Amino acid sequence: IWGWILGGLVIAYTNFSTEKIEDGYTKKSLKKKRENVEVEGSTILLSLGGALLGLLIAFPPFLADANWRSSLASKDATRVEKALFQWPTDPIRLSSGFKVFLENQKNDKGYEIIKKATIEFPNDYYSWYNLGIMPNISPEERKEIDVQLMRLDPENTKRPW
């Protein structure tokens, strides 16, 4: 609600701060129409360079997520696994892939995926948590998982095991 109130105040302030003249234009808009603004070439080049850099940074994660989604729709395990490890990897995609393989009783592949997630992203709580819900985890691994979960979230002592 504060966004609406503050937005309305800004609009009201701009309406009161401009003086109207006879033909409906304001002094501010007349000044803008009279001035010819020249933009330097360096400004245009910097803008285009920034846009290109932003595209290069944002495109690989977008492409990896799009491939992940299309591989899930295909229901082909090899395609899903290939899309799962596509660069740049992220812990959310790896955790999702882990759950897909675990639901399909592919525990060995699920273990491999979530173990890689804990190695690549050691500070991701859910990767460690998902490793902990794996069936047939050794007591030594369970102890390491508890240590890591306690390190990442000391206030949360609940474990499903």
Side-chain angles (χ1 to χ4, degrees):
I1 193 166
W2 284 107
W4 285 99
I5 291 171
L6 294 174
L9 289 174
V10 167
I11 292 170
Y13 174 76
T14 58
N15 284 340
F16 285 121
S17 67
T18 57
E19 297 178 27
K20 302 263 181 191
I21 48 179
E22 292 145 23
D23 59 355
Y25 290 106
T26 61
K27 285 184 181 178
K28 287 183 180 179
S29 64
L30 282 176
K31 284 182 184 177
K32 285 182 183 176
K33 285 188 176 188
R34 283 189 222 144
E35 294 176 10
N36 288 334
V37 179
E38 293 183 18
V39 180
E40 293 183 24
S42 62
T43 305
I44 293 172
L45 287 176
L46 283 174
S47 298
L48 288 174
L52 184 62
L53 181 65
L55 181 67
L56 288 174
I57 290 171
F59 190 68
F62 172 77
L63 185 63
D65 287 340
N67 287 341
W68 169 245
R69 182 167 184 200
S70 66
S71 70
L72 283 177
S74 74
K75 298 182 181 180
D76 179 16
T78 56
R79 188 172 170 202
V80 167
E81 185 178 356
K82 184 179 176 186
L84 187 63
F85 293 113
Q86 184 177 356
W87 182 85
T89 57
D90 68 88
I92 296 172
R93 193 174 349 120
L94 291 173
S95 292
S96 298
F98 159 75
K99 289 181 181 180
V100 166
F101 282 101
L102 199 64
E103 289 169 358
N104 290 300
Q105 283 77 38
K106 306 276 187 191
N107 292 348
D108 293 338
K109 186 54 74 178
Y111 178 80
E112 178 187 325
I113 291 167
I114 205 63
K115 190 69 174 171
K116 180 175 175 146
T118 59
I119 292 169
E120 282 191 33
F121 306 100
N123 293 328
D124 182 49
Y125 181 87
Y126 293 106
S127 295
W128 287 103
Y129 182 87
N130 285 334
L131 183 60
I133 62 172
M134 274 294 298
N136 303 327
I137 292 289
S138 69
E140 294 83 25
E141 271 188 309
R142 177 102 41 224
K143 193 173 186 178
E144 174 64 21
I145 292 166
D146 282 334
V147 167
Q148 294 297 328
L149 290 176
M150 193 59 117
R151 174 183 67 87
L152 294 170
D153 190 4
E155 299 296 321
N156 186 4
T157 57
K158 295 180 184 175
R159 307 281 185 265
W161 49 86

